[in-house]
Amino acid sequence: MDCSKNWSKSSALLHVLTPQGVCHLRDIPEARRRRSPETHLFALSSSAWIYDNREGEMDRRRGLREVIAGGEDETNICKMTAASCTPLLIARNQFAAKFVGMGEETTPSDLGHLRSRIDTLDADLVRLLNERASVSVNIGLAKQKAAKTGKAADDHIHRPSREKQIYDRLETLNHGPLPTPAIQAIFREVMSASISLQRETTIAFLGPRGTYTHQVAFNRFGDSVQYVAQDTIEDVFDAVESGSVTYGVVPFENSRFGSVQATLDRFCTSSGGVQIRAEAYLPVQHSLLANKGTSQSQIRRVYSHQQGFGQCQSYISQHLRGVERINVSSTAHAADLASREPGSAAICSPACATLYGLDVVATGIEDAKDNTTRFFIIGNTSDSPSADDRTLLSFTVDHRQPGALADALSVLKTHNINLTKIDSRPSGQRPWHFFFFIEMTGHMHNENVASAIDDMKAYCLDLRILGSYPSQRPPAEAGAII
Ligand SMILES: O=C(O)C(=O)C[C@]1(C(=O)O)C=C[C@@H](O)C=C1
C-alpha cells in the first residue's frame, strides 16, 4: 500500500481494522483549515489522529474536541510512520483498532479509473501467479531428482510442514484490509493448483459427499485435485495402502465424544504402509434433517454416525425420545438414507440439506458449542520435521509385567517430552489385550524423540510409529464430525 502519496490534495480516508471489521474514517476538513493543508485529522474513539503529509507520520492526540477546535493538548501519545504501514494497536475505552492504511477518498465518478487500476493489478497477479507456478513445477522436478539420487526419502508433493510455514508467514505479512482467513483461502487454491501441476493428486475421504471429512479434505487440498469418496474409514486406509490414491483423510477424535474407534482400529491392523502426514481441526455443527414437510413429531427413525449421536445426546434425549436410532458409516450416508424414507431423519452437516434434498428440522443440536473434530491426512510416509510437531505411536505391553505401561510412559518424562493424548482399544487378538495409543510432542526424526522411542521399546511389544505431523492450533470456538 502506497502511503507516501501526497494526500493533501484531496480529502483522505483512513482504513482501520476494528473488531467489527474494516471501517473507513474520513478526515475532518476544519482541522486542515486551522492547521495546515498538509495535515489530515481523523476521529477515532475519543482520540484524534493527525496525519502530517510532510513528515509521513501519524500522531495520536488526546482530547478530540480540543484538537478539532485548534487548541489541542500537545501530549503526543503515539507516533508512527504511515509510509511503513506498521500495524498499530490502539486500546482505549475497550476499543481496539488496527491502522491498515490510507487512501484517497473516492467518488462514483472515479469508477472507471479505479477499475482500470484493478485491471492493471489483475494483470500483475496473473503474471506473478504463473511465475510462482513455474517455480513450483521446478520444485517438483527437484524433489523427484533428490528422491532418485537418495538425497531425500521421498518425492511427496504435499508438504504440510512447508505449507504451515507459508501460512504463518502470510499471517505476519498481512496488514489488511483483507482478513487473514481470506488470504489463506486464496493461497489454499494457489497451492492446490501448484500441487496438481506437479503431479496428478487423488484424495480419498470418508464419503459420500457432505461428510465433515469431505469438508476437511476440501479445506486442505482445494479445488484442483481429484477426490474419491470411500464407503468406510477402512476403505480410505486401504486406498492409501494400495497406492490407488495419493492421500486419504479420516476423522480421528472429537473434543466431546473422544476417539473415532474405526480409525484407531484400522491403525492397529495397518501393515505400516500408512503414516500420518498432517492433522486438521474442524468446528462441527450438527443439524437434524428430514424429508420436505416432515415435522419433528413425525420422525420415527433417525440415522447418523456413532459420533453424530454421541455429540447430540442432550438434544436426542429431549426431542427424539422413543425414536429408533440407526448407526451408519457416516453422517452424509445417514442423510442419503433419510432422503429415501418418509418419517426418517439424519443427524449430519447442514450442507447435506442441499446435497440430499432435505429440510432442516433443527440446527446447532450438538451438546457443546465448541464441538470440534480432529482429522488426519494420511499417506505412505510422514513429512519431514517442522519446528513444532507431534508424533502418534501405538504399542502393546506384556500385561503380566506389573507396571509395564507406567514404565513405558515414564520414558517420556525422562526425555522431557509432553504426552498430549492417551487412548486404548481392544487388540482383537485375545481377550483383555489392548493396543495403547499415545501422542507426544516432537517429530520421530528429532534426536530426543527418536531416542525416547528407542528406550520405550524395552517396555513395549509391537511398538509402531503411526506418523509425525506439524501441530495445528485447535480453533478457539466451534463444534463438528464425520
Ligand atoms: O515447497 C514445496 O515442496 C512445494 O511443492 C511447493 C508448494 C507451494 O505451492 O508453495 C506446493 C505444495 C506443497 O504442499 C507446499 C508448497
Side-chain angles (χ1 to χ4, degrees):
M1 200 176 312
D2 178 13
C3 292
S4 54
K5 253 181 102 152
N6 189 341
W7 297 109
S8 62
K9 292 209 167 60
S10 62
S11 59
L13 288 182
L14 177 69
H15 309 307
V16 186
L17 190 63
T18 72
Q20 287 74 40
V22 177
C23 74
H24 308 280
L25 303 174
R26 195 175 303 251
D27 66 350
I28 302 168
E30 292 95 302
R32 199 177 331 157
R33 257 181 265 127
R34 292 211 185 88
R35 300 171 64 84
S36 117
E38 299 289 340
T39 53
H40 294 279
L41 184 138
F42 305 90
L44 187 56
S45 187
S46 55
S47 301
W49 283 81
I50 300 166
Y51 177 72
D52 190 319
N53 193 56
R54 291 156 303 185
E55 291 164 19
E57 277 185 345
M58 183 81 88
D59 292 358
R60 183 178 141 194
R61 312 282 169 116
R62 272 192 244 266
L64 176 63
R65 250 189 259 150
E66 292 84 339
V67 176
I68 294 175
E72 73 217 50
D73 168 2
E74 280 300 322
T75 325
N76 187 358
I77 303 168
C78 195
K79 228 180 203 336
M80 69 175 288
T81 307
S84 71
C85 280
T86 316
L88 182 74
L89 272 169
I90 315 154
R92 192 183 163 96
N93 302 336
Q94 310 292 316
F95 183 88
K98 190 175 174 186
F99 169 76
V100 288
M102 288 254 293
E104 273 168 294
E105 187 179 11
T106 57
T107 61
S109 62
D110 292 321
L111 206 59
H113 170 67
L114 292 172
R115 284 192 175 142
S116 97
R117 271 176 66 193
I118 291 237
D119 288 345
T120 310
L121 289 168
D122 285 350
D124 289 347
L125 285 174
V126 170
R127 185 180 45 76
L128 287 170
L129 285 170
N130 278 312
E131 209 172 301
R132 189 189 192 284
S134 307
V135 175
S136 169
V137 169
N138 286 333
I139 289 182
L141 295 173
K143 281 184 203 169
Q144 279 173 26
K145 197 169 163 197
K148 267 195 201 128
T149 55
K151 286 192 183 131
D154 61 60
D155 62 353
H156 271 284
I157 306 153
H158 178 236
R159 300 288 179 163
S161 57
R162 172 65 180 147
E163 290 198 1
K164 188 174 178 223
Q165 206 179 48
I166 292 175
Y167 285 124
D168 288 350
R169 183 164 175 267
L170 290 172
E171 190 167 0
T172 317
L173 289 174
N174 183 36
H175 299 317
L178 281 178
T180 296
I183 296 282
Q184 285 170 340
I186 292 165
F187 273 80
R188 169 67 277 136
E189 284 311 322
V190 168
M191 283 193 269
S192 175
S194 162
I195 286 172
S196 68
L197 262 185
Q198 286 185 39
R199 196 177 309 152
E200 194 179 293
T201 300
T202 320
I203 314 297
F205 67 91
L206 171 64
R209 286 183 314 145
T211 58
Y212 297 103
T213 313
H214 187 195
Q215 214 171 305
V216 167
F218 192 80
N219 292 350
R220 166 67 57 161
F221 291 99
D223 214 19
S224 298
V225 301
Q226 308 292 319
Y227 291 95
V228 209
Q230 305 290 324
D231 290 342
T232 63
I233 288 171
E234 292 79 1
D235 292 341
V236 177
F237 275 82
D238 291 349
V240 173
E241 227 159 35
S242 70
S244 67
V245 297
T246 328
Y247 303 112
V249 184
V250 290
F252 175 56
E253 64 173 343
N254 175 260
S255 55
R256 187 80 172 186
F257 197 61
S259 297
V260 177
Q261 292 175 7
T263 300
L264 291 188
D265 289 348
R266 187 56 183 75
F267 270 128
C268 298
T269 58
S270 165
S271 61
V274 168
Q275 290 276 289
I276 305 162
R277 293 187 69 77
E279 62 171 359
Y281 289 87
L282 182 76
V284 177
Q285 202 189 39
H286 292 293
S287 292
L288 182 69
L289 305 185
N291 278 304
K292 298 222 176 285
T294 310
S295 67
Q296 194 158 288
S297 61
Q298 292 169 317
I299 296 170
R300 297 280 162 264
R301 176 182 281 177
V302 61
Y303 292 101
S304 195
H305 185 273
Q306 182 193 32
Q307 284 275 349
F309 287 125
Q311 293 165 37
C312 302
Q313 291 175 39
S314 52
Y315 180 86
I316 292 170
S317 61
Q318 277 176 47
H319 303 281
L320 297 171
R321 262 181 194 281
V323 172
E324 183 189 10
R325 269 183 250 168
I326 300 187
N327 263 328
V328 293
S329 56
S330 75
T331 51
H333 182 44
D336 187 23
L337 289 169
S339 73
R340 298 161 197 269
E341 293 175 10
S344 289
I347 293 176
C348 53
S349 156
C352 290
T354 322
L355 289 170
Y356 298 96
L358 295 166
D359 266 358
V360 178
V361 179
T363 202
I365 61 169
E366 61 282 358
D367 294 338
K369 291 304 152 211
D370 56 359
N371 190 37
T372 302
T373 298
R374 180 150 71 128
F375 296 79
F376 281 146
I377 286 81
I378 53 177
N380 61 8
T381 60
S382 286
D383 197 4
S384 41
S386 73
D388 176 17
D389 299 288
R390 290 182 190 200
T391 297
L392 187 71
L393 304 180
S394 76
F395 57 86
T396 58
V397 291
D398 183 352
H399 63 277
R400 292 163 308 183
Q401 281 299 109
L405 177 62
D407 287 343
L409 296 180
S410 72
V411 170
L412 299 182
K413 189 172 177 201
T414 314
H415 286 264
N416 203 18
I417 292 172
N418 234 0
L419 182 69
T420 49
K421 177 184 168 75
I422 179 159
D423 210 334
S424 66
R425 289 289 298 152
S427 70
Q429 294 166 2
R430 53 184 185 277
W432 313 113
H433 183 249
F434 289 91
F435 269 106
F436 293 102
F437 292 85
I438 62 165
E439 186 190 49
M440 57 174 93
T441 52
H443 192 286
M444 60 174 129
H445 294 145
N446 295 155
E447 215 173 287
N448 191 27
V449 175
S451 87
I453 294 173
D454 250 7
D455 291 354
M456 279 181 79
K457 286 180 183 161
Y459 306 103
C460 302
L461 310 169
D462 308 322
L463 186 148
R464 281 194 242 169
I465 303 173
L466 304 179
S468 293
Y469 37 91
S471 297
Q472 299 289 329
R473 269 170 296 157
E477 313 248 358
I481 188 81
I482 315 194

